[in-house]
Amino acid sequence: MFYPKSGEIILLRIVKILLILSVALWGILGLFHNLIDWGGSIGAVNATTSMATVEGGTGHWKATTNPAVIFAGAFFIVFFKLIVTLTCFGGAWRMWKSHGCDAATFATAKTLALTGCGVALFMLFTGWIVIADTWFELWRSDVLSDAALGSAFRYGGLIGVIALFVGMHDE
């Protein structure tokens, strides 16, 4: 049976830290862009909730242009990206401080980082798949289906793989 040397374990842990930092970077860049282009963020949520990009969508009983709903959707995105950013940066810091420790200590340090990945998955799945795709039928939109849903699926899939990889035992 192969047992990795301690240097290999340290290197693996550093890779895990870098992956969590990449999720934090995704969160902070997304947060930054959503805030500096708040009008675009509101517009994207409005296009989804009004069902304007779906044939016959604006007349559908589920379509809404209610400003409170649109603001809540944009706020949901920004709020959860902030949480992802903070938990992943905090988790990466904890992981870095314990990267030379025993497996149990390092595993405990990963908890906050994995929480950040879970929050990102929650935001992407609930916001884009459950609400936008299922409720507001974004899958029928030729304009937003690939752009919005494709990105959400790609981000969620990669963040999920990162979480699985980071969550694996080191020893």
Side-chain angles (χ1 to χ4, degrees), residues 91-107:
W93 176 247
R94 287 182 182 180
M95 290 167 69
W96 176 253
K97 289 193 324 187
S98 66
H99 77 278
C101 297
D102 61 276
T105 302
F106 188 72

Side-chain angles (χ1 to χ4, degrees), residues 22-47:
S22 72
V23 176
L25 184 60
W26 170 84
I28 200 164
L29 289 174
L31 174 65
F32 176 73
H33 287 116
N34 285 129
L35 289 175
I36 65 164
D37 185 18
W38 184 249
S41 299
I42 292 289
V45 174
N46 182 47

Side-chain angles (χ1 to χ4, degrees), residues 62-136:
K62 291 188 280 188
T64 182
T65 56
N66 183 320
V69 172
I70 295 165
F71 178 82
F75 180 79
F76 171 85
I77 294 166
V78 167
F79 175 75
F80 282 109
K81 283 184 181 176
L82 176 64
I83 298 301
V84 169
T85 300
L86 295 174
T87 54
C88 285
F89 274 133
W93 176 247
R94 287 182 182 180
M95 290 167 69
W96 176 253
K97 289 193 324 187
S98 66
H99 77 278
C101 297
D102 61 276
T105 302
F106 188 72
T108 301
K110 294 188 285 188
T111 304
L112 188 59
L114 293 172
T115 300
C117 291
V119 169
L121 292 172
F122 171 77
M123 178 199 66
L124 291 164
F125 183 75
T126 303
W128 288 108
I129 306 303
V130 174
I131 297 171
D133 190 44
T134 305
W135 182 257
F136 290 110

Side-chain angles (χ1 to χ4, degrees), residues 9 117 131 164 170:
I9 291 171
C117 291
I131 297 171
L164 289 173
D170 298 330

